Amino acid sequence: MIDLSGFFLSWPGRYLTQSFLHSLVAGAIAEVAVKAWGIARPSVRQRFLLAAIMVPAFTWPVFRIAGRSRESLAFRLDALFDSGRWLAVVLPGGITFGTLLLAAFAVTSVVFAAQELIPVLRHSFGRADDAPAALREGDDLRVMEALSGLPAGVARVHVIEDEDLFIFSSTGRDPAVYLSSGLLDTLSPAELRAALAHELAHVLRGRRPLMSGVFFLRVLMFFNPVILVEFRRAVQEDEKICDEMAVAFTGDPGALTETLRKLYLEDDEDPREKRSLAEIGGALERYSHRLNILSRIARLERGYPPPAGEDWFAFASALAAIGAVCWFVV
Amino acid sequence: MGAKILRLSAFLAGTALVVAAIRAVNWLPAALQPDVLRRHESVEEARAASGVERILVPSYYPQELGWPPSAILAQGRPYPAVVLEFARAGGRDAALVVTQWAAGRPRPEGRIAIAEVQETVRYSLRGRDAVLTVGRSPAGERVSRIVWAEGKYLFEISGKVSPVDLVKAAESMLR
Protein backbone atom coordinates (compact mmCIF):
# COMPACT_ATOMS: atom_id res chain seq x y z
CA MET A 1 0.00 0.00 0.00
CA ILE A 2 1.40 3.39 -0.97
CA ASP A 3 1.48 5.68 2.08
CA LEU A 4 0.75 9.26 1.10
CA SER A 5 0.05 10.57 4.61
CA GLY A 6 3.29 12.56 4.57
CA PHE A 7 2.29 14.33 1.35
CA PHE A 8 -1.25 15.12 2.48
CA LEU A 9 0.05 16.59 5.74
CA SER A 10 2.54 18.80 3.89
CA TRP A 11 1.52 22.32 2.93
CA PRO A 12 1.04 21.52 -0.79
CA GLY A 13 -0.98 18.43 0.15
CA ARG A 14 -3.20 20.40 2.52
CA TYR A 15 -3.71 23.12 -0.08
CA LEU A 16 -4.67 20.60 -2.77
CA THR A 17 -7.05 18.74 -0.49
CA GLN A 18 -8.72 21.66 1.20
CA SER A 19 -9.05 23.82 -1.91
CA PHE A 20 -10.76 20.87 -3.59
CA LEU A 21 -13.12 20.33 -0.65
CA HIS A 22 -13.81 24.05 -0.34
CA SER A 23 -14.61 24.27 -4.05
CA LEU A 24 -17.16 21.47 -3.57
CA VAL A 25 -18.72 23.39 -0.67
CA ALA A 26 -18.60 26.71 -2.55
CA GLY A 27 -20.14 25.16 -5.66
CA ALA A 28 -22.95 23.55 -3.67
CA ILE A 29 -23.78 26.70 -1.68
CA ALA A 30 -23.58 28.88 -4.82
CA GLU A 31 -26.06 26.52 -6.52
CA VAL A 32 -28.38 26.64 -3.49
CA ALA A 33 -28.20 30.45 -3.51
CA VAL A 34 -28.99 30.74 -7.23
CA LYS A 35 -32.02 28.44 -6.85
CA ALA A 36 -33.28 29.90 -3.55
CA TRP A 37 -33.01 33.51 -4.67
CA GLY A 38 -34.35 32.77 -8.15
CA ILE A 39 -31.31 34.28 -9.88
CA ALA A 40 -32.03 34.27 -13.61
CA ARG A 41 -29.82 36.96 -15.15
CA PRO A 42 -26.67 35.37 -16.62
CA SER A 43 -24.42 38.20 -15.37
CA VAL A 44 -25.55 37.57 -11.79
CA ARG A 45 -25.42 33.77 -12.08
CA GLN A 46 -21.87 34.05 -13.37
CA ARG A 47 -20.95 36.09 -10.30
CA PHE A 48 -21.89 33.12 -8.10
CA LEU A 49 -19.97 30.70 -10.31
CA LEU A 50 -16.89 32.94 -10.24
CA ALA A 51 -17.11 33.07 -6.44
CA ALA A 52 -17.08 29.26 -6.40
CA ILE A 53 -13.93 29.39 -8.55
CA MET A 54 -12.07 32.19 -6.78
CA VAL A 55 -12.85 31.72 -3.08
CA PRO A 56 -11.34 28.20 -2.68
CA ALA A 57 -8.02 29.45 -4.06
CA PHE A 58 -7.61 31.61 -0.96
CA THR A 59 -9.42 29.87 1.88
CA TRP A 60 -6.66 27.56 3.11
CA PRO A 61 -3.88 30.18 3.30
CA VAL A 62 -6.24 32.74 4.86
CA PHE A 63 -7.56 30.23 7.39
CA ARG A 64 -4.02 29.13 8.15
CA ILE A 65 -3.08 32.70 9.07
CA ALA A 66 -6.31 33.24 11.00
CA GLY A 67 -6.15 30.14 13.17
CA ARG A 68 -3.23 27.74 13.41
CA SER A 69 -5.11 25.38 15.71
CA ARG A 70 -7.65 24.85 12.95
CA GLU A 71 -5.72 21.79 11.74
CA SER A 72 -5.04 20.33 15.17
CA LEU A 73 -6.33 16.82 15.84
CA ALA A 74 -8.81 18.21 18.37
CA PHE A 75 -10.30 20.68 15.88
CA ARG A 76 -10.46 18.02 13.19
CA LEU A 77 -12.38 15.73 15.49
CA ASP A 78 -15.12 18.32 15.98
CA ALA A 79 -15.03 19.67 12.40
CA LEU A 80 -17.88 19.24 9.93
CA PHE A 81 -15.53 17.29 7.72
CA ASP A 82 -12.03 15.94 8.39
CA SER A 83 -10.25 15.06 5.16
CA GLY A 84 -7.72 12.99 7.13
CA ARG A 85 -10.42 10.41 7.86
CA TRP A 86 -11.26 9.85 4.22
CA LEU A 87 -7.72 10.04 2.88
CA ALA A 88 -6.68 7.18 5.17
CA VAL A 89 -9.57 4.90 4.17
CA VAL A 90 -8.21 1.74 2.56
CA LEU A 91 -10.28 0.44 -0.34
CA PRO A 92 -10.29 -3.15 -1.62
CA GLY A 93 -6.98 -3.81 -3.32
CA GLY A 94 -5.00 -1.83 -0.77
CA ILE A 95 -5.51 1.52 -2.50
CA THR A 96 -6.20 4.41 -0.20
CA PHE A 97 -8.77 7.04 -0.93
CA GLY A 98 -5.92 9.54 -0.95
CA THR A 99 -4.33 7.72 -3.88
CA LEU A 100 -7.64 7.90 -5.78
CA LEU A 101 -7.88 11.61 -5.07
CA LEU A 102 -4.39 12.22 -6.43
CA ALA A 103 -5.27 10.19 -9.52
CA ALA A 104 -8.34 12.38 -10.03
CA PHE A 105 -6.14 15.47 -9.72
CA ALA A 106 -3.72 14.04 -12.29
CA VAL A 107 -6.48 13.27 -14.81
CA THR A 108 -7.96 16.74 -14.33
CA SER A 109 -4.53 18.30 -14.90
CA VAL A 110 -4.13 16.44 -18.19
CA VAL A 111 -7.62 17.45 -19.35
CA PHE A 112 -6.92 21.07 -18.41
CA ALA A 113 -3.60 21.10 -20.26
CA ALA A 114 -4.99 19.48 -23.39
CA GLN A 115 -8.30 21.34 -23.63
CA GLU A 116 -7.53 24.76 -22.18
CA LEU A 117 -3.91 25.64 -21.50
CA ILE A 118 -2.24 24.47 -24.71
CA PRO A 119 -4.85 26.03 -27.04
CA VAL A 120 -4.60 29.35 -25.16
CA LEU A 121 -0.81 29.33 -25.30
CA ARG A 122 -0.89 28.49 -28.99
CA HIS A 123 -3.26 31.36 -29.64
CA SER A 124 -1.34 33.82 -27.46
CA PHE A 125 2.08 33.02 -28.82
CA GLY A 126 1.10 31.95 -32.31
CA ARG A 127 3.14 33.40 -35.16
CA ALA A 128 1.76 35.82 -37.72
CA ASP A 129 2.12 33.23 -40.44
CA ASP A 130 -0.16 30.89 -38.46
CA ALA A 131 -3.16 32.96 -39.63
CA PRO A 132 -5.43 31.28 -42.15
CA ALA A 133 -4.12 31.69 -45.68
CA ALA A 134 -7.39 32.65 -47.30
CA LEU A 135 -8.04 35.74 -45.20
CA ARG A 136 -9.27 39.09 -46.32
CA GLU A 137 -10.12 42.27 -44.51
CA GLY A 138 -13.76 42.72 -43.56
CA ASP A 139 -14.29 45.74 -45.79
CA ASP A 140 -17.06 43.88 -47.57
CA LEU A 141 -20.05 46.20 -47.87
CA ARG A 142 -22.26 43.71 -46.04
CA VAL A 143 -19.84 43.71 -43.08
CA MET A 144 -19.58 47.52 -43.09
CA GLU A 145 -23.38 47.84 -43.03
CA ALA A 146 -23.70 45.26 -40.25
CA LEU A 147 -21.15 47.10 -38.10
CA SER A 148 -22.92 50.45 -38.34
CA GLY A 149 -24.49 51.33 -35.01
CA LEU A 150 -22.37 48.80 -33.13
CA PRO A 151 -19.53 49.88 -30.79
CA ALA A 152 -16.83 51.26 -33.08
CA GLY A 153 -13.11 50.53 -33.00
CA VAL A 154 -13.50 47.51 -30.74
CA ALA A 155 -11.98 44.92 -33.08
CA ARG A 156 -11.00 44.46 -36.71
CA VAL A 157 -13.15 42.11 -38.75
CA HIS A 158 -11.62 39.53 -41.10
CA VAL A 159 -13.37 37.22 -43.55
CA ILE A 160 -11.98 33.73 -44.05
CA GLU A 161 -12.63 32.14 -47.43
CA ASP A 162 -14.43 29.00 -46.34
CA GLU A 163 -17.90 27.74 -47.20
CA ASP A 164 -18.43 26.31 -43.68
CA LEU A 165 -20.42 28.49 -41.29
CA PHE A 166 -18.40 29.88 -38.38
CA ILE A 167 -17.61 33.07 -36.53
CA PHE A 168 -15.28 33.63 -33.58
CA SER A 169 -13.33 36.37 -31.91
CA SER A 170 -9.88 36.70 -30.47
CA THR A 171 -9.16 39.01 -27.57
CA GLY A 172 -5.88 40.36 -26.24
CA ARG A 173 -3.47 42.91 -27.70
CA ASP A 174 -4.92 42.77 -31.22
CA PRO A 175 -8.59 41.84 -30.92
CA ALA A 176 -10.34 40.65 -34.03
CA VAL A 177 -13.49 38.96 -35.25
CA TYR A 178 -13.20 36.23 -37.87
CA LEU A 179 -16.13 35.01 -39.92
CA SER A 180 -16.32 32.65 -42.86
CA SER A 181 -17.38 33.73 -46.33
CA GLY A 182 -19.96 30.93 -46.13
CA LEU A 183 -21.54 32.63 -43.10
CA LEU A 184 -21.42 36.00 -44.84
CA ASP A 185 -23.34 34.53 -47.76
CA THR A 186 -25.86 32.69 -45.53
CA LEU A 187 -26.92 35.25 -42.93
CA SER A 188 -29.34 38.10 -43.58
CA PRO A 189 -28.10 41.64 -42.82
CA ALA A 190 -29.90 41.65 -39.44
CA GLU A 191 -28.51 38.22 -38.54
CA LEU A 192 -24.98 39.22 -39.53
CA ARG A 193 -25.33 42.33 -37.38
CA ALA A 194 -26.47 40.19 -34.42
CA ALA A 195 -23.56 37.74 -34.87
CA LEU A 196 -21.00 40.55 -35.02
CA ALA A 197 -22.59 42.24 -32.00
CA HIS A 198 -22.22 39.00 -30.00
CA GLU A 199 -18.54 38.66 -30.90
CA LEU A 200 -17.84 42.32 -30.17
CA ALA A 201 -19.42 41.77 -26.75
CA HIS A 202 -16.86 38.99 -26.15
CA VAL A 203 -14.04 41.36 -27.06
CA LEU A 204 -15.39 44.07 -24.74
CA ARG A 205 -15.76 41.61 -21.84
CA GLY A 206 -12.28 40.23 -22.46
CA ARG A 207 -10.82 43.64 -21.63
CA ARG A 208 -11.98 43.52 -18.01
CA PRO A 209 -9.06 42.98 -15.56
CA LEU A 210 -11.31 40.73 -13.45
CA MET A 211 -11.40 38.15 -16.24
CA SER A 212 -7.59 38.00 -16.31
CA GLY A 213 -7.59 37.48 -12.56
CA VAL A 214 -10.22 34.75 -12.85
CA PHE A 215 -8.26 32.96 -15.53
CA PHE A 216 -5.06 33.21 -13.47
CA LEU A 217 -6.84 31.58 -10.50
CA ARG A 218 -8.34 29.00 -12.80
CA VAL A 219 -4.82 28.09 -13.98
CA LEU A 220 -3.64 27.97 -10.35
CA MET A 221 -6.34 25.39 -9.66
CA PHE A 222 -5.47 23.30 -12.70
CA PHE A 223 -5.73 20.08 -10.68
CA ASN A 224 -9.23 20.69 -9.33
CA PRO A 225 -12.04 18.82 -11.12
CA VAL A 226 -14.74 20.97 -9.48
CA ILE A 227 -13.09 24.15 -10.79
CA LEU A 228 -12.87 22.52 -14.24
CA VAL A 229 -16.66 22.09 -14.27
CA GLU A 230 -17.47 25.44 -12.64
CA PHE A 231 -15.19 27.35 -15.04
CA ARG A 232 -16.89 25.77 -18.04
CA ARG A 233 -20.28 26.66 -16.61
CA ALA A 234 -19.03 30.23 -16.13
CA VAL A 235 -17.96 30.28 -19.78
CA GLN A 236 -21.45 29.13 -20.80
CA GLU A 237 -22.96 31.96 -18.76
CA ASP A 238 -20.54 34.31 -20.51
CA GLU A 239 -22.11 33.29 -23.83
CA LYS A 240 -25.52 34.25 -22.43
CA ILE A 241 -24.15 37.54 -21.13
CA CYS A 242 -22.80 38.32 -24.60
CA ASP A 243 -26.23 37.42 -26.05
CA GLU A 244 -27.71 39.95 -23.64
CA MET A 245 -25.20 42.60 -24.70
CA ALA A 246 -25.74 41.84 -28.41
CA VAL A 247 -29.50 42.31 -27.99
CA ALA A 248 -28.83 45.59 -26.16
CA PHE A 249 -26.67 46.76 -29.12
CA THR A 250 -29.06 45.65 -31.90
CA GLY A 251 -32.50 45.70 -30.21
CA ASP A 252 -33.35 42.54 -32.21
CA PRO A 253 -33.32 39.27 -30.23
CA GLY A 254 -35.05 37.43 -33.08
CA ALA A 255 -32.10 37.99 -35.42
CA LEU A 256 -29.71 36.47 -32.89
CA THR A 257 -31.90 33.39 -32.35
CA GLU A 258 -32.03 32.80 -36.11
CA THR A 259 -28.27 33.18 -36.30
CA LEU A 260 -27.80 30.60 -33.56
CA ARG A 261 -30.15 28.20 -35.34
CA LYS A 262 -28.31 28.56 -38.64
CA LEU A 263 -24.88 28.24 -37.06
CA TYR A 264 -25.44 25.41 -34.63
CA LEU A 265 -28.73 23.56 -35.10
CA GLU A 266 -28.73 22.58 -38.77
CA ASP A 267 -27.21 19.16 -38.22
CA ASP A 268 -29.48 17.06 -35.99
CA GLU A 269 -27.42 13.94 -35.34
CA ASP A 270 -28.47 11.21 -32.93
CA PRO A 271 -25.64 9.95 -30.63
CA ARG A 272 -27.31 6.54 -30.54
CA GLU A 273 -26.59 6.07 -34.26
CA LYS A 274 -22.82 6.22 -33.68
CA ARG A 275 -20.74 3.06 -33.52
CA SER A 276 -17.32 3.63 -31.98
CA LEU A 277 -16.67 5.08 -28.53
CA ALA A 278 -14.84 8.04 -30.08
CA GLU A 279 -17.82 8.73 -32.35
CA ILE A 280 -20.24 8.42 -29.46
CA GLY A 281 -18.08 10.69 -27.29
CA GLY A 282 -17.88 13.33 -29.99
CA ALA A 283 -21.60 13.11 -30.70
CA LEU A 284 -22.45 13.44 -27.01
CA GLU A 285 -20.29 16.53 -26.75
CA ARG A 286 -22.02 18.05 -29.76
CA TYR A 287 -25.40 17.08 -28.27
CA SER A 288 -24.49 18.81 -25.03
CA HIS A 289 -23.47 21.87 -27.02
CA ARG A 290 -26.79 21.70 -28.86
CA LEU A 291 -28.71 21.68 -25.58
CA ASN A 292 -26.73 24.72 -24.53
CA ILE A 293 -27.67 26.54 -27.74
CA LEU A 294 -31.34 25.64 -27.28
CA SER A 295 -31.14 27.05 -23.74
CA ARG A 296 -29.70 30.29 -25.11
CA ILE A 297 -32.42 30.52 -27.77
CA ALA A 298 -35.15 29.90 -25.18
CA ARG A 299 -33.70 32.65 -22.97
CA LEU A 300 -33.57 35.09 -25.90
CA GLU A 301 -37.18 34.31 -26.82
CA ARG A 302 -38.34 34.62 -23.19
CA GLY A 303 -36.57 37.89 -22.59
CA TYR A 304 -34.50 38.85 -19.58
CA PRO A 305 -35.93 39.45 -16.14
CA PRO A 306 -35.41 42.92 -14.69
CA PRO A 307 -32.54 43.24 -12.19
CA ALA A 308 -33.65 42.20 -8.71
CA GLY A 309 -32.64 44.56 -5.92
CA GLU A 310 -31.66 41.69 -3.64
CA ASP A 311 -28.94 40.24 -5.94
CA TRP A 312 -26.10 41.74 -3.93
CA PHE A 313 -27.65 40.66 -0.63
CA ALA A 314 -27.98 37.12 -2.02
CA PHE A 315 -24.35 37.18 -3.14
CA ALA A 316 -23.10 38.49 0.21
CA SER A 317 -25.06 35.87 2.14
CA ALA A 318 -23.72 33.12 -0.14
CA LEU A 319 -20.14 34.32 0.41
CA ALA A 320 -20.68 34.43 4.18
CA ALA A 321 -22.12 30.91 4.18
CA ILE A 322 -19.24 29.60 2.05
CA GLY A 323 -16.66 31.12 4.41
CA ALA A 324 -18.39 29.86 7.54
CA VAL A 325 -18.87 26.30 6.31
CA CYS A 326 -15.39 26.04 4.75
CA TRP A 327 -13.80 27.02 8.07
CA PHE A 328 -15.12 23.73 9.49
CA VAL A 329 -14.07 21.64 6.50
CA VAL A 330 -10.48 20.64 7.16
CA MET B 1 -40.20 42.07 2.20
CA GLY B 2 -42.17 38.86 2.63
CA ALA B 3 -40.70 37.41 -0.56
CA LYS B 4 -37.20 38.35 0.56
CA ILE B 5 -37.67 36.58 3.91
CA LEU B 6 -39.03 33.54 2.11
CA ARG B 7 -36.04 33.41 -0.24
CA LEU B 8 -33.62 33.89 2.67
CA SER B 9 -35.31 31.03 4.53
CA ALA B 10 -35.04 28.83 1.45
CA PHE B 11 -31.34 29.67 1.17
CA LEU B 12 -30.69 28.92 4.85
CA ALA B 13 -32.62 25.65 4.60
CA GLY B 14 -30.65 24.65 1.51
CA THR B 15 -27.36 25.49 3.21
CA ALA B 16 -28.42 23.46 6.26
CA LEU B 17 -29.01 20.51 3.94
CA VAL B 18 -25.52 20.93 2.49
CA VAL B 19 -24.08 20.96 6.01
CA ALA B 20 -26.07 17.85 6.95
CA ALA B 21 -24.76 16.05 3.87
CA ILE B 22 -21.19 17.02 4.75
CA ARG B 23 -21.61 15.66 8.29
CA ALA B 24 -23.10 12.44 6.99
CA VAL B 25 -20.18 11.86 4.63
CA ASN B 26 -17.73 12.68 7.45
CA TRP B 27 -19.33 10.09 9.70
CA LEU B 28 -18.85 7.21 7.22
CA PRO B 29 -15.11 6.43 7.69
CA ALA B 30 -15.53 6.24 11.48
CA ALA B 31 -18.39 3.79 10.97
CA LEU B 32 -16.40 1.64 8.53
CA GLN B 33 -12.94 1.70 10.12
CA PRO B 34 -12.47 1.64 13.90
CA ASP B 35 -8.96 3.08 14.01
CA VAL B 36 -9.62 6.51 12.52
CA LEU B 37 -9.16 9.54 14.77
CA ARG B 38 -11.74 9.60 17.54
CA ARG B 39 -12.24 10.66 21.14
CA HIS B 40 -11.81 8.03 23.88
CA GLU B 41 -12.97 7.73 27.46
CA SER B 42 -9.76 6.31 28.86
CA VAL B 43 -6.09 5.91 28.10
CA GLU B 44 -6.58 2.15 27.91
CA GLU B 45 -9.29 2.55 25.27
CA ALA B 46 -7.00 4.87 23.32
CA ARG B 47 -4.20 2.31 23.50
CA ALA B 48 -6.42 -0.42 22.08
CA ALA B 49 -7.72 1.81 19.28
CA SER B 50 -4.37 3.26 18.20
CA GLY B 51 -2.24 0.13 18.43
CA VAL B 52 0.33 2.04 20.50
CA GLU B 53 1.78 -0.54 22.85
CA ARG B 54 2.57 1.89 25.68
CA ILE B 55 1.08 5.33 26.15
CA LEU B 56 3.24 7.44 28.42
CA VAL B 57 1.32 9.67 30.80
CA PRO B 58 2.85 12.31 33.12
CA SER B 59 2.61 11.64 36.82
CA TYR B 60 3.57 15.25 37.65
CA TYR B 61 1.29 18.16 36.72
CA PRO B 62 1.37 21.82 37.59
CA GLN B 63 -1.03 22.40 40.47
CA GLU B 64 -3.64 24.22 38.43
CA LEU B 65 -4.19 21.34 35.99
CA GLY B 66 -6.76 18.62 36.52
CA TRP B 67 -6.84 14.83 36.15
CA PRO B 68 -8.21 12.98 34.24
CA PRO B 69 -7.31 14.47 30.85
CA SER B 70 -10.00 16.78 29.46
CA ALA B 71 -9.62 15.02 26.11
CA ILE B 72 -8.06 11.75 24.93
CA LEU B 73 -7.71 11.47 21.16
CA ALA B 74 -6.19 8.55 19.33
CA GLN B 75 -5.83 7.20 15.82
CA GLY B 76 -4.37 4.10 14.25
CA ARG B 77 -4.42 5.38 10.67
CA PRO B 78 -2.82 6.95 8.76
CA TYR B 79 -0.30 6.32 11.56
CA PRO B 80 -0.52 5.72 15.31
CA ALA B 81 -0.91 8.90 17.32
CA VAL B 82 -2.30 9.78 20.74
CA VAL B 83 -3.09 13.22 22.16
CA LEU B 84 -3.87 13.88 25.82
CA GLU B 85 -5.18 17.33 26.70
CA PHE B 86 -5.29 18.73 30.20
CA ALA B 87 -7.33 21.77 31.10
CA ARG B 88 -6.99 24.04 34.10
CA ALA B 89 -9.29 23.05 36.95
CA GLY B 90 -12.73 24.42 36.17
CA GLY B 91 -11.70 25.47 32.70
CA ARG B 92 -12.14 24.01 29.22
CA ASP B 93 -9.21 25.27 27.18
CA ALA B 94 -6.23 22.94 26.99
CA ALA B 95 -3.31 24.18 29.10
CA LEU B 96 -1.10 21.13 28.61
CA VAL B 97 -1.04 18.80 25.62
CA VAL B 98 0.92 15.55 25.47
CA THR B 99 1.33 14.13 21.96
CA GLN B 100 2.79 10.75 21.10
CA TRP B 101 3.14 9.65 17.49
CA ALA B 102 4.99 7.15 15.31
CA ALA B 103 8.56 8.22 14.56
CA GLY B 104 9.20 9.23 10.97
CA ARG B 105 5.67 10.56 10.54
CA PRO B 106 4.51 14.18 10.48
CA ARG B 107 3.87 15.71 13.89
CA PRO B 108 0.13 15.97 14.57
CA GLU B 109 -0.71 19.60 15.10
CA GLY B 110 -1.79 20.43 18.60
CA ARG B 111 -4.04 23.11 20.03
CA ILE B 112 -1.14 24.94 21.65
CA ALA B 113 1.11 26.58 19.06
CA ILE B 114 4.17 28.76 19.41
CA ALA B 115 3.83 31.77 17.14
CA GLU B 116 6.96 33.56 18.34
CA VAL B 117 9.97 31.52 19.40
CA GLN B 118 12.06 33.25 22.07
CA GLU B 119 14.58 30.55 22.86
CA THR B 120 15.40 27.01 21.79
CA VAL B 121 17.85 24.86 23.73
CA ARG B 122 18.98 21.26 23.71
CA TYR B 123 18.21 19.50 26.96
CA SER B 124 19.15 16.13 28.36
CA LEU B 125 15.91 14.54 29.54
CA ARG B 126 16.96 11.59 31.69
CA GLY B 127 19.57 10.72 29.09
CA ARG B 128 17.38 11.42 26.06
CA ASP B 129 18.19 14.24 23.65
CA ALA B 130 15.34 16.70 23.86
CA VAL B 131 14.67 20.13 22.38
CA LEU B 132 13.09 22.70 24.69
CA THR B 133 11.43 25.72 23.08
CA VAL B 134 10.01 28.73 24.86
CA GLY B 135 7.92 31.38 23.20
CA ARG B 136 4.57 33.09 22.84
CA SER B 137 1.30 31.72 21.49
CA PRO B 138 -0.60 33.63 18.74
CA ALA B 139 -2.58 35.21 21.61
CA GLY B 140 0.60 36.35 23.37
CA GLU B 141 0.56 33.78 26.18
CA ARG B 142 3.79 32.23 27.43
CA VAL B 143 4.15 28.72 25.94
CA SER B 144 6.78 26.04 26.36
CA ARG B 145 7.36 22.89 24.33
CA ILE B 146 9.67 19.92 24.72
CA VAL B 147 10.19 17.19 22.12
CA TRP B 148 12.12 13.92 22.36
CA ALA B 149 12.28 10.43 20.89
CA GLU B 150 11.58 7.23 22.79
CA GLY B 151 11.83 3.97 20.93
CA LYS B 152 9.43 3.89 17.97
CA TYR B 153 7.69 7.08 19.00
CA LEU B 154 8.20 10.80 19.26
CA PHE B 155 6.81 12.76 22.17
CA GLU B 156 5.89 16.38 22.56
CA ILE B 157 4.56 18.20 25.56
CA SER B 158 3.28 21.72 24.92
CA GLY B 159 1.87 23.86 27.67
CA LYS B 160 0.89 27.29 28.81
CA VAL B 161 3.12 26.58 31.82
CA SER B 162 6.65 27.46 32.86
CA PRO B 163 9.52 25.54 31.25
CA VAL B 164 10.41 24.17 34.70
CA ASP B 165 6.96 22.61 35.15
CA LEU B 166 7.06 21.33 31.59
CA VAL B 167 10.38 19.58 32.09
CA LYS B 168 9.17 18.08 35.40
CA ALA B 169 6.10 16.70 33.64
CA ALA B 170 8.26 15.23 30.87
CA GLU B 171 10.70 13.66 33.35
CA SER B 172 7.79 12.11 35.23
CA MET B 173 6.91 10.17 32.07
CA LEU B 174 10.34 8.56 31.90
CA ARG B 175 12.18 6.21 34.16
Side-chain angles (χ1 to χ4, degrees):
Chain A
M1 184 177 72
I2 302 170
D3 183 7
L4 296 168
S5 58
F7 170 73
F8 283 113
L9 287 170
S10 67
W11 281 21
R14 292 182 201 197
Y15 181 79
L16 258 64
T17 309
Q18 291 194 38
S19 62
F20 166 67
L21 292 172
H22 293 171
S23 63
L24 274 174
V25 170
I29 292 178
E31 202 59 34
V32 164
V34 165
K35 294 278 191 300
W37 293 98
I39 308 290
R41 294 192 74 88
S43 53
V44 183
R45 290 168 67 99
Q46 194 190 57
R47 200 181 297 153
F48 284 81
L49 289 169
L50 292 182
I53 291 168
M54 295 170 74
V55 168
F58 297 104
T59 44
W60 182 75
V62 168
F63 289 164
R64 182 79 189 167
I65 293 167
R68 294 187 63 179
S69 66
R70 181 178 164 268
E71 287 169 332
S72 66
L73 289 188
F75 186 94
R76 285 174 173 272
L77 202 58
D78 295 328
L80 280 177
F81 187 89
D82 173 16
S83 56
R85 290 185 168 194
W86 270 101
L87 292 173
V89 167
V90 181
L91 300 168
I95 301 172
T96 62
F97 206 81
T99 308
L100 277 187
L101 186 64
L102 278 185
F105 289 163
V107 168
T108 304
S109 304
V110 169
V111 169
F112 163 74
Q115 294 189 349
E116 293 182 39
L117 185 65
I118 292 172
V120 167
L121 289 176
R122 273 194 189 144
H123 169 71
S124 299
F125 298 107
R127 297 169 301 178
D129 56 4
D130 285 344
L135 185 73
R136 59 183 162 91
E137 290 298 317
D139 52 3
D140 186 295
L141 191 60
R142 290 170 290 179
V143 172
M144 304 293 282
E145 282 178 358
L147 285 173
S148 67
L150 296 180
V154 172
R156 289 188 296 171
V157 179
H158 304 285
V159 178
I160 299 172
E161 294 296 339
D162 193 316
E163 59 186 22
D164 287 339
L165 308 185
F166 58 80
I167 182 168
F168 61 91
S169 56
S170 69
T171 58
R173 287 189 309 266
D174 192 15
V177 176
Y178 299 87
L179 67 152
S180 64
S181 54
L183 190 73
L184 196 53
D185 294 336
T186 303
L187 296 181
S188 69
E191 290 162 2
L192 180 63
R193 190 172 147 75
L196 286 169
H198 178 93
E199 294 306 324
L200 290 178
H202 274 300
V203 173
L204 286 167
R205 284 185 61 75
R207 289 176 177 175
R208 292 165 37 187
L210 175 67
M211 299 312 288
S212 303
V214 170
F215 191 69
F216 171 76
L217 287 176
R218 192 266 168 280
V219 171
L220 186 69
M221 305 279 266
F222 64 92
F223 56 89
N224 191 327
V226 177
I227 300 297
L228 183 83
V229 170
E230 296 291 349
F231 187 73
R232 292 184 181 191
R233 291 180 67 201
V235 167
Q236 288 174 358
E237 291 298 329
D238 213 56
E239 290 297 323
K240 293 171 186 167
I241 293 169
C242 291
D243 287 345
E244 219 175 342
M245 289 173 69
V247 169
F249 292 153
T250 64
D252 187 358
L256 187 55
T257 59
E258 278 311 302
T259 305
L260 289 173
R261 285 196 173 95
K262 285 180 181 176
L263 266 171
Y264 301 114
L265 300 184
E266 293 294 303
D267 179 25
D268 189 7
E269 64 179 344
D270 186 344
R272 291 169 296 184
E273 291 173 2
K274 304 303 172 187
R275 299 245 173 121
S276 72
L277 271 176
E279 282 180 347
I280 292 170
L284 280 173
E285 194 176 333
R286 288 188 290 277
Y287 182 69
S288 168
H289 182 60
R290 182 186 173 82
L291 288 178
N292 202 22
I293 299 299
L294 288 170
S295 161
R296 287 169 62 185
I297 289 172
R299 191 173 290 275
L300 283 164
E301 289 174 343
R302 237 184 359 250
Y304 295 98
E310 56 209 21
D311 287 346
W312 281 108
F313 179 75
F315 185 65
S317 52
L319 277 184
I322 289 169
V325 174
C326 285
W327 173 262
F328 295 101
V329 173
V330 187
Chain B
M1 179 57 96
K4 189 171 178 176
I5 292 172
L6 203 63
R7 290 185 189 281
L8 180 61
S9 302
F11 170 67
L12 291 174
T15 303
L17 277 175
V18 170
V19 169
I22 293 170
R23 285 204 75 96
V25 173
N26 188 53
W27 167 83
L28 273 175
L32 297 173
Q33 300 187 321
D35 54 352
V36 296
L37 176 68
R38 57 176 91 226
R39 217 177 282 274
H40 297 278
E41 295 297 317
S42 68
V43 172
E44 187 51 42
E45 193 181 295
R47 193 190 64 76
S50 64
V52 174
E53 303 88 1
R54 196 162 70 105
I55 296 177
L56 300 185
V57 180
S59 54
Y60 168 85
Y61 305 89
Q63 246 180 341
E64 66 269 28
L65 299 185
W67 175 269
S70 54
I72 302 172
L73 315 177
Q75 67 180 37
R77 69 176 67 238
Y79 54 89
V82 177
V83 175
L84 307 175
E85 294 185 349
F86 298 86
R88 291 203 163 86
R92 291 178 58 187
D93 286 344
L96 189 81
V97 177
V98 179
T99 309
Q100 177 177 346
W101 73 100
R105 299 306 195 120
R107 181 181 71 86
E109 289 201 26
R111 278 201 208 264
I112 299 175
I114 296 181
E116 179 201 332
V117 173
Q118 292 172 331
E119 193 175 359
T120 299
V121 296
R122 291 205 171 279
Y123 186 84
S124 178
L125 192 69
R126 292 196 191 272
R128 286 91 167 163
D129 289 330
V131 176
L132 176 64
T133 306
V134 177
R136 295 275 171 190
S137 72
E141 301 157 301
R142 184 187 60 178
V143 176
S144 310
R145 179 175 69 209
I146 190 164
V147 182
W148 76 96
E150 182 81 15
K152 293 192 301 181
Y153 297 98
L154 290 166
F155 291 82
E156 176 188 287
I157 305 182
S158 300
K160 298 175 188 174
V161 296
S162 69
V164 172
D165 280 333
L166 197 82
V167 169
K168 281 184 180 175
E171 287 177 340
S172 74
M173 291 166 66
L174 307 168
R175 293 196 185 86

